[in-house]
């Protein structure tokens, strides 16, 4: 009888630990904390050169414009923050074709949201997002650098 009580108590404790870990993982995901600790010094040179050349899926916008997935702009922002620091450029409004500049505005807004982030943190977030993004939702084919 005592063994059954100990077993039930242990099982309840394990469930509690599991739920706490799951909650922490969800909170971390909302904050942009990666699931894995990537070797930034190893991957940064490779992925920072190749990420823009990936075959990104495009979304149609009004007026015939197209826009890439949001993860592209997040990567863009972390890359710009890591290489240039805080955004000091003027916000674009009009494209060269005369329509609204959806692409330029999306890039500017994403980069502006990283203001104050250190270059080292931006590199870490860039590498983590590069490897953890959903390729089926964002790319036509997954030709990323493999870890």
């Amino acid at each position: 009888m005592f063994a059954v009580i100990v077993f039930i108590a242990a099982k309840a404790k394990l469930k509690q630990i599991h739920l706490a870990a799951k909650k922490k993982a969800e909170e971390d995901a909302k904050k942009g904390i990666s699931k894995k600790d990537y070797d930034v010094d190893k991957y940064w040179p490779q992925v920072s050169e190749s990420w823009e050349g990936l075959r990104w899926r495009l979304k149609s916008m009004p007026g015939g414009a197209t826009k890439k997935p949001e993860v592209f702009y997040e990567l863009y922002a972390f890359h710009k923050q890591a290489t240039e620091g805080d955004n000091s450029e003027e916000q674009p409004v009009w494209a060269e074709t005369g329509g609204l500049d959806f692409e330029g505005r999306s890039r500017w807004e994403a980069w502006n949201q990283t203001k104050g982030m250190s270059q080292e943190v931006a590199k870490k977030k860039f590498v983590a997002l590069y490897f953890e993004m959903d390729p089926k939702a964002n790319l036509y084919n997954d030709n990323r650098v493999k870890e």
Side-chain angles (χ1 to χ4, degrees):
M1 182 68 174
F2 179 73
V4 172
I5 294 171
V6 170
F7 174 76
I8 292 172
K11 187 175 177 181
K13 183 68 175 169
L14 282 174
K15 186 174 182 178
Q16 188 178 30
I17 291 169
H18 173 73
L19 290 174
K22 185 177 177 182
K23 183 179 178 184
K24 173 136 178 50
E26 289 170 357
E27 290 171 359
D28 287 351
K30 287 179 185 175
K31 294 177 189 173
I33 298 171
S34 67
K35 301 170 189 167
K36 185 177 174 184
D37 191 20
Y38 296 94
D39 184 354
V40 174
D41 294 329
K42 176 182 175 185
Y43 293 119
W44 172 256
Q46 294 173 300
V47 298
S48 69
E49 296 295 321
S50 66
W51 72 277
E52 278 191 283
L54 296 174
R55 296 195 57 224
W56 295 94
R57 292 190 181 274
L58 299 175
K59 295 189 304 187
S60 296
M61 303 300 289
T66 58
K67 191 175 157 188
K68 295 176 181 82
E70 289 304 314
V71 72
F72 172 88
Y73 301 107
E74 291 175 47
L75 284 168
Y76 174 83
F78 294 139
H79 188 270
K80 289 292 265 187
Q81 190 69 16
T83 56
E84 298 181 28
D86 287 345
N87 183 357
S88 60
E89 295 179 4
E90 194 172 307
Q91 183 177 21
V93 177
W94 302 105
E96 292 176 11
T97 58
L100 288 174
D101 187 2
F102 292 108
E103 178 75 14
R105 288 179 64 94
S106 295
R107 287 177 183 240
W108 187 91
E109 288 169 359
W111 184 15
N112 205 46
Q113 289 177 354
T114 63
K115 243 183 199 167
M117 183 183 291
S118 74
Q119 290 181 320
E120 190 59 36
V121 169
K123 282 182 182 180
K124 286 180 181 179
K125 287 183 175 260
F126 177 90
V127 171
L129 182 59
Y130 178 89
F131 287 118
E132 294 176 5
M133 72 173 164
D134 179 5
K136 289 181 182 174
N138 299 302
L139 303 172
Y140 284 112
N141 60 352
D142 189 4
N143 57 343
R144 294 177 293 171
V145 172
K146 305 297 180 209
E147 61 171 312

